[in-house]
Amino acid sequence: MCGIFAYLNYNVTRERRYILEVLFNGLRRLEYRGYDSAGISIDSSNQTSDPPLVFRQEGNIESLVKSVYHDVAATDLNLEESFSVHAGISHTRWATHGEPAPKNSHPQSSGAGNDFLVVHNGIITNYEVLKETLLRHGFTFESETDTEVIPKLAKFIFDKANEEGDQSVTFSQVVLEVIRHLEGAYALTFKSRHYPNELIACKRGSPLLLGVKDLEEKASSGSSFSDAKFPSSNGQPKELFLSSDANALVEHTKKVLVIEDGEVVHIKDGGVSIYKFDKGKNGGTLSRPASVQRALSILEMEVEQINKGKYEHYMQKEIHEQPESLTTTMRGRLIRAGSCKAKTVLLGGLKDHLKTIRRSRRIVFVGCGTSYNAALAARSIVEELSGIPVTMEIASDLVDRQGPIYREDTAVFVSQSGETADTLLALEYALENGALCVGITNTVGSAIARHTHCGVHINAGCEIGVASTKAYTSQIVVMAMLALAIGADTLSNQARREAIIDGLFYLPRKVKAVLKLDEEMKDLAKLLIAEQSLLVFGRGYNYASALEGALKVKEVALMHSEGILAGEMKHGPLALVDENLPIVVIATRDSCFSKQQSVIQQLHARKGRLIVMCTEGDKASVSVGGSSRVIEVPQVVDCLQPVINVVPLQVVVLLFFRLTIQ
């Protein structure tokens, strides 16, 4: 989780202070992606003779801002100096290689002269081999990152080309040669003093977008975007942006190019060249493939969506948006007229493939983290209504072990962003094996949306909080509708389907009712704030709720938590229970309710500190001797109960976090 933002103004005069603020604001929009360190690079006064300036700082974005202005005040750098052309890059980091520290922050440099600078999202898996090679050639390393090998490799390639007499080597040729040596997942943006006012971006497995703001508004939104459309000779003023997330672009422009894997985007003289990198083609010399033609797309996002409004945190805003986001997810898809015969669902993205899905040997859900948990919550209802076996795969594990995927399988890839690296690798693997691939994402135009055969957008709206909330509940709803669509040709389960459709119709107002438990959850958060660990037990549909609740505790409260299948309680977890360990048991009314009552009895016998979530009116049935703390929630049809049950867990985790930072 890191963030890239770059800004290039062409034939439009901007002061250095303005450029800095554009970069800072871009990082603020991306801070949720990484917040332990940050850095920027801008040009010095003499772009041709003086190296670019680099500022890096441990801490959040505001720490970087203060540090930059402090350093500027201590020098004679003129913030009012104007540039008609200028390229700046910036980065916010979540440490993976090397501790949070200025030396490990980005941009990473090729050396003292800042000949090449790079900001990087992702992981270079062969960096140790590259580092050893560069050390043998006299390079020294200052950071502990995997990224530092990239600018140093660029300098090595540039210097070698010049030593061999190739004085005309271009920036794109250097970068193409660099990425030929890289293995792993990455999104990269390059800046170089040898190529002033130029930027290069490339990606493999990590998202990256180019935003275009034509200040004369001559280009049409659907126009082709290539050298022919943006020649360097036209002098048309424009601003160009690179970002790892659309959130940082929408306040500047809605015209974007979604950079594809293997593409190298070269910004020079106000023009943009796009090259397709093919690792298999190399003749031993620096070469450049022909530029390719792409088209701009329009962001379906408004600035208001990325603002917190009246809320203190994005996560708080997104939790309270769930009644509206669920309504939007179902809008136009639930058909529920007066007669029973009219109760059905319509998923336009799947209608041409439903017959193929119904003939599948099995359905394979693939996801990571919260998306995996959402798929797990829907597994039972998909099996029940479709009659097709459903298996669950964590994306990274599927790829690691090369698990069997067959032509007769339907593989469903679940991802909020549609750009999750491990899920994309699993999608590539499934496509190679001939499976029908279905995408469930929240992002129109994402890699998963583009590369699957069909799919459903969850339409939950922009989600900025790192800990997914409204996307999770919308994913469950979409997969419940997927189950309804697959099973729509079976008469035997018609009554069951209609009950679920009725439940979906009333679900948003039930979620709104749960959100009124804020004060009760605040008291619970105060009780948990001094704890070091938490167990969450669930069963049936609510095993996924237990996993998701525990995940949120880890992500947001930074406390150890474990989601446990209640049926496995006797096989190890029961030994952990004592009077000091807080335990959440999800025991709402469904086919597993009596079994959960038995679990509560056993945990009580071990003097466990129980927090029980139950259906309204069931307090007496789940509170043994009145000793348990009870959270009562509305009842809905069993397969949708996980949507209701996760909301109190989301709220208590957020309140826990807010108490810890006070």
Side-chain angles (χ1 to χ4, degrees), residues 213-228:
K213 184 176 183 180
D214 187 334
L215 297 178
E216 293 186 0
E217 294 297 331
K218 289 182 179 179
S220 63
S221 61
S223 63
S224 164
F225 189 63
S226 66
D227 284 337

Side-chain angles (χ1 to χ4, degrees), residues 216-421:
E216 293 186 0
E217 294 297 331
K218 289 182 179 179
S220 63
S221 61
S223 63
S224 164
F225 189 63
S226 66
D227 284 337
K229 287 292 178 184
F230 287 85
S232 59
S233 59
N234 69 358
Q236 185 175 321
K238 59 178 68 70
E239 293 175 308
L240 298 144
F241 307 85
L242 291 162
S243 177
S244 50
D245 197 306
N247 295 335
L249 296 179
V250 67
E251 62 187 297
H252 300 289
T253 181
K254 291 189 177 182
K255 295 180 181 180
V256 299
L257 175 79
V258 180
I259 301 173
E260 298 272 10
D261 279 359
E263 287 184 340
V264 176
V265 175
H266 187 182
I267 304 173
K268 178 182 179 182
D269 297 331
V272 176
S273 301
I274 305 168
Y275 305 102
K276 194 71 177 177
F277 171 71
D278 187 343
K279 195 165 186 174
K281 295 180 181 179
N282 187 274
T285 60
L286 295 184
S287 59
R288 184 174 72 176
S291 62
V292 298
Q293 190 169 321
R294 293 285 307 282
L296 293 174
S297 55
I298 302 298
L299 284 177
E300 295 181 6
M301 184 187 296
E302 301 297 333
V303 175
E304 291 75 17
Q305 293 178 262
I306 61 173
N307 292 328
K308 286 183 282 193
K310 65 180 181 180
Y311 298 100
E312 188 176 350
H313 305 283
Y314 282 114
M315 182 178 176
Q316 181 187 16
K317 173 177 181 272
E318 288 154 12
I319 288 172
H320 286 269
E321 285 177 342
Q322 286 178 108
E324 291 74 28
S325 62
L326 289 170
T327 300
T328 305
T329 296
M330 295 183 281
R331 183 172 291 127
R333 293 168 170 172
L334 275 189
I335 300 172
R336 183 179 178 271
S339 65
C340 290
K341 292 182 179 178
K343 293 180 181 179
T344 185
V345 298
L346 177 63
L347 299 176
L350 293 181
K351 64 180 182 180
D352 294 335
H353 295 83
L354 281 174
K355 288 183 179 179
T356 305
I357 296 172
R358 288 168 184 151
R359 292 195 301 267
S360 299
R361 187 168 77 170
R362 62 174 180 160
I363 295 171
V364 184
F365 279 116
V366 184
C368 306
T370 287
S371 294
Y372 175 88
N373 294 341
L376 183 63
R379 175 180 62 178
S380 294
I381 195 60
V382 174
E383 281 185 328
E384 178 186 341
L385 296 185
S386 70
I388 303 170
V390 176
T391 60
M392 300 296 305
E393 292 284 358
I394 296 172
S396 58
D397 183 55
L398 175 64
V399 174
D400 287 347
R401 72 176 204 279
Q402 297 287 283
I405 296 287
Y406 304 105
R407 292 179 63 87
E408 299 84 3
D409 290 338
T410 292
V412 182
F413 296 86
V414 189
S415 167
Q416 189 280 133
S417 67
E419 300 282 354
T420 310

Side-chain angles (χ1 to χ4, degrees), residues 305-602:
Q305 293 178 262
I306 61 173
N307 292 328
K308 286 183 282 193
K310 65 180 181 180
Y311 298 100
E312 188 176 350
H313 305 283
Y314 282 114
M315 182 178 176
Q316 181 187 16
K317 173 177 181 272
E318 288 154 12
I319 288 172
H320 286 269
E321 285 177 342
Q322 286 178 108
E324 291 74 28
S325 62
L326 289 170
T327 300
T328 305
T329 296
M330 295 183 281
R331 183 172 291 127
R333 293 168 170 172
L334 275 189
I335 300 172
R336 183 179 178 271
S339 65
C340 290
K341 292 182 179 178
K343 293 180 181 179
T344 185
V345 298
L346 177 63
L347 299 176
L350 293 181
K351 64 180 182 180
D352 294 335
H353 295 83
L354 281 174
K355 288 183 179 179
T356 305
I357 296 172
R358 288 168 184 151
R359 292 195 301 267
S360 299
R361 187 168 77 170
R362 62 174 180 160
I363 295 171
V364 184
F365 279 116
V366 184
C368 306
T370 287
S371 294
Y372 175 88
N373 294 341
L376 183 63
R379 175 180 62 178
S380 294
I381 195 60
V382 174
E383 281 185 328
E384 178 186 341
L385 296 185
S386 70
I388 303 170
V390 176
T391 60
M392 300 296 305
E393 292 284 358
I394 296 172
S396 58
D397 183 55
L398 175 64
V399 174
D400 287 347
R401 72 176 204 279
Q402 297 287 283
I405 296 287
Y406 304 105
R407 292 179 63 87
E408 299 84 3
D409 290 338
T410 292
V412 182
F413 296 86
V414 189
S415 167
Q416 189 280 133
S417 67
E419 300 282 354
T420 310
D422 288 329
T423 309
L424 283 170
L425 290 174
L427 170 58
E428 183 180 334
Y429 173 70
L431 288 169
E432 289 172 356
N433 283 274
L436 174 67
C437 294
V438 180
I440 296 177
T441 82
N442 193 34
T443 311
V444 176
S446 63
I448 288 177
R450 296 194 308 273
H451 296 147
T452 47
H453 298 109
C454 57
V456 185
H457 288 110
I458 67 173
N459 298 333
C462 178
E463 188 171 66
I464 295 177
V466 173
S468 180
T469 51
K470 64 178 183 178
Y472 174 75
T473 51
S474 285
Q475 284 171 339
I476 294 174
V477 165
V478 161
M479 285 182 274
M481 290 194 291
L482 171 65
L484 291 165
I486 297 171
D489 64 338
T490 307
L491 289 175
S492 60
N493 58 29
Q494 183 175 330
R496 172 71 160 154
R497 292 199 314 273
E498 290 172 358
I500 294 169
I501 291 170
D502 286 338
L504 287 168
F505 182 79
Y506 292 109
L507 190 60
R509 68 185 71 174
K510 298 274 190 177
V511 171
K512 188 175 289 188
V514 178
L515 289 170
K516 294 177 181 177
L517 297 173
D518 256 17
E519 284 305 313
E520 189 177 337
M521 294 302 100
K522 189 172 184 179
D523 292 340
L524 181 56
K526 289 177 181 177
L527 288 177
L528 295 174
I529 196 165
E531 302 301 332
Q532 300 297 315
S533 186
L534 178 72
L535 301 184
V536 188
F537 285 93
R539 197 176 196 131
Y541 285 106
N542 284 300
Y543 175 41
S545 302
L547 291 177
E548 179 62 11
L551 177 60
K552 288 294 164 281
V553 171
K554 285 179 273 197
E555 283 184 302
V556 181
L558 306 181
M559 181 172 82
H560 169 260
S561 183
E562 188 174 350
I564 299 173
L565 182 65
E568 291 293 294
M569 180 188 66
K570 294 179 182 177
H571 305 290
L574 192 60
L576 299 173
V577 179
D578 60 25
E579 65 274 10
N580 299 314
L581 181 66
I583 302 169
V584 175
V585 180
I586 304 173
T588 45
R589 286 274 175 180
D590 59 19
S591 60
C592 298
F593 178 65
S594 61
K595 294 177 181 177
Q596 287 299 79
Q597 285 181 300
S598 175
V599 166
I600 292 167
Q601 291 279 359
Q602 294 174 67

